[in-house]
Amino acid sequence: MHTKNGRNDPDKLRVAVVGGGTGGLTLAVALRRHGIVAEVFERTAVLGEVGAAISLTANSVRLLARLGLGDELERVSVEPTEVIYRDWRTGERIAAQPIGSQYRARFGAGFLCMRRAALQQILSRAVGGEHLHLGRGVRHLVEGPDGIRLEFTDGRLHDADLVVGADGLHSVVRGSITDEAGPRYSGVSGFRGLVPMSEVPDLPDPHALQAWMGPGKSVLHYPTRGMVNYLAVVDGPSEWPALNGTLPAVPGELAEHFAGWSPGLLQLLTATQQSDRWALFTQPPLSTWARGRAVLIGDAAHTMLPYHGQGANQTIEDAVVLADALADTPPGEYAVAIERYQRARRARADLIQRSSLDKPSILHLPDGPAATTRNTALREADDHLVWIHDYDAQRPDRGHGIQIDESRDQVFHLV
């Protein structure tokens, strides 16, 4: 049942990962580092994720570096120069903090922005093509005394000891674990875009990560190599009429929503063809992330709003902690490993998830006393990145004693 070093015998542990996104691929890489081979099943025929770009913060970058991926990530990414908060109409810099080398020195790892495709290529190469199965949608899971069987939509079957649901917002695996309410529409929606930097000469500080705040709306954007990635968020509609996450937008709708905003920002929002309108979803905390031989990671367990930029980062934390737990537990004792994983991860993910819920109301304040108070607080804040970015999922005593003031965080932690 064990190798000489006490790790799991890879011939005895059969892990099936449902979902070939950031979380599923990271888990497979992390397990492989422990000598455990996982098979990854992705329902789409071609790897792809929502959004064209991604930002990885120090809390996940240090974990990926330990998996041997640090140099590759550095080659395909850029580091924002600052975090800047701006007034919607004037473009005034309300508050700013440096990132770059100062961030790296503070947190021991970089703040890296890159194309999602580049990250997926790095991860999929590390997994190995023979263990990544595309076009394999899971229809049903059947658990027995000696394992769990995956039934695919094409009629094929696969047997495993453990199934990990890394299948995102509309997780099939989650449905086999709990009948609790799934992700719900948050009441805000957005437009996404990726714009060549050469097309936005009037955008101030294009190499910075920026949050533009205004009445009922906000725009978050950051650089990738030669490009600027943005998410423009608006309040409403009050209900989302579609079963999926997108709806066609009326031509010119994005520009109309942001009429009167700073000309430099409008140049960014109108530089390319308008996207569909995306619903932003959140997930009420689940009472459990596991049942029997099935367990969840990432958005399948804790879908959260994007204001912390922590969706992918928390998925990476989940993946590495789960891999460590499985590697340190005898193969027949999955319940012990899963309980260890949940104990390590749920409180942190729930806190980040909860603290993101009030962000639209903070970012979208109308001009007036409340916005003035917020702006003053932002200028005086100097530590709002610490409790998320300094955390080390493999060394959770790092940063022990940092006090998390959630009332302050509701104002300060916008990235």
Side-chain angles (χ1 to χ4, degrees):
M1 298 289 286
H2 302 277
T3 59
K4 292 180 180 179
N5 64 4
R7 299 292 186 181
N8 291 342
D9 182 341
D11 294 329
K12 298 293 184 181
L13 183 62
R14 301 170 299 168
V15 179
V17 181
V18 179
T22 298
L25 294 174
T26 301
L27 176 62
V29 176
L31 288 171
R32 187 169 185 171
R33 296 286 172 176
H34 289 302
I36 301 169
V37 176
E39 303 298 328
V40 181
F41 300 96
E42 165 58 39
R43 65 179 179 82
T44 61
V46 178
L47 283 182
E49 289 199 71
V50 173
I54 190 169
S55 62
L56 298 182
T57 49
N59 48 301
S60 70
V61 171
R62 66 170 64 93
L63 301 179
L64 293 173
R66 289 177 195 151
L67 295 177
L69 305 178
D71 289 345
E72 289 186 271
L73 291 173
E74 297 280 353
R75 283 196 293 270
V76 301
S77 64
V78 299
E79 287 186 279
T81 54
E82 300 174 88
V83 177
I84 302 172
Y85 307 100
R86 290 191 184 273
D87 178 80
W88 66 281
R89 181 167 45 200
T90 66
E92 173 195 357
R93 290 166 62 108
I94 293 169
Q97 290 189 6
I99 303 182
S101 60
Q102 293 188 50
Y103 177 95
R104 192 179 289 261
R106 171 64 183 85
F107 296 113
F111 190 129
L112 306 181
C113 298
M114 67 200 72
R115 298 291 295 267
R116 279 187 182 267
L119 175 61
Q120 286 197 315
Q121 288 168 9
I122 290 170
L123 291 171
S124 59
R125 282 196 301 268
V127 170
E130 69 274 23
H131 301 296
L132 178 57
H133 311 278
L134 302 179
R136 300 287 295 277
V138 173
R139 180 176 59 196
H140 192 52
L141 302 178
V142 180
E143 185 168 341
D146 300 319
I148 187 166
R149 171 166 288 181
L150 294 82
E151 298 180 356
F152 297 98
T153 54
D154 61 7
R156 286 184 280 184
L157 307 173
H158 180 82
D159 292 326
D161 297 310
L162 184 71
V163 170
V164 180
D167 48 343
L169 182 69
H170 301 294
S171 171
V172 173
V173 179
R174 184 176 58 233
S176 72
I177 290 174
T178 179
D179 59 2
E180 296 175 76
R184 63 190 179 198
Y185 172 56
S186 65
V188 295
S189 56
F191 299 81
R192 302 175 187 270
L194 188 66
V195 180
M197 207 167 283
S198 60
E199 298 294 319
V200 287
D202 298 329
L203 179 69
D205 300 302
H207 296 281
L209 186 155
Q210 304 195 52
W212 298 69
M213 303 177 291
K217 306 174 186 69
S218 60
V219 179
L220 305 175
H221 64 82
Y222 56 83
T224 65
R225 295 210 161 194
M227 310 287 280
V228 179
N229 182 73
Y230 73 79
L231 172 63
V233 180
V234 300
D235 289 343
S238 58
E239 296 182 358
W240 193 256
L243 295 177
N244 59 26
T246 62
L247 285 173
V250 175
E253 183 177 344
L254 174 58
E256 183 177 345
H257 278 299
F258 288 88
W261 284 53
S262 170
L265 181 66
L266 283 173
Q267 185 179 72
L268 174 69
L269 300 183
T270 57
T272 60
Q273 184 175 351
Q274 174 182 278
S275 75
D276 288 340
R277 191 166 180 173
W278 293 77
L280 300 187
F281 288 91
T282 187
Q283 168 71 54
L286 299 174
S287 62
T288 183
W289 293 0
R291 179 181 178 183
R293 293 174 180 268
V295 60
L296 303 174
I297 68 172
D299 282 353
H302 47 69
T303 302
M304 56 186 68
L305 295 179
Y307 301 103
H308 290 318
Q310 282 296 305
N313 293 284
Q314 290 307 299
T315 297
I316 290 167
E317 287 189 13
D318 287 351
V320 171
V321 171
L322 179 58
D324 289 349
L326 290 171
D328 289 333
T329 306
E333 299 180 14
Y334 305 110
V336 174
I338 290 171
E339 179 56 31
R340 174 184 166 190
Y341 158 69
Q342 290 198 90
R343 189 166 58 247
R345 293 299 305 147
R346 286 185 58 197
R348 175 166 164 82
D350 286 352
L351 179 57
I352 294 172
Q353 184 182 43
R354 187 168 68 249
S355 70
S356 73
L357 292 176
D358 290 331
K359 291 304 177 293
S361 61
I362 298 299
L363 288 167
H364 296 184
L365 290 172
D367 293 342
T372 299
T373 299
R374 175 201 63 198
N375 295 349
T376 300
L378 282 169
R379 283 189 286 269
E380 295 175 352
D382 61 2
D383 63 353
H384 65 283
L385 298 175
V386 171
W387 72 274
I388 289 182
H389 294 213
D390 197 50
Y391 182 83
D392 190 325
Q394 291 180 304
R395 301 167 187 170
D397 57 336
R398 174 190 172 100
H400 181 69
I402 292 173
Q403 297 299 310
I404 301 171
D405 183 337
E406 292 185 61
S407 63
R408 291 180 73 246
D409 178 70
Q410 288 179 359
V411 177
F412 299 144
H413 193 80
L414 304 180
V415 300

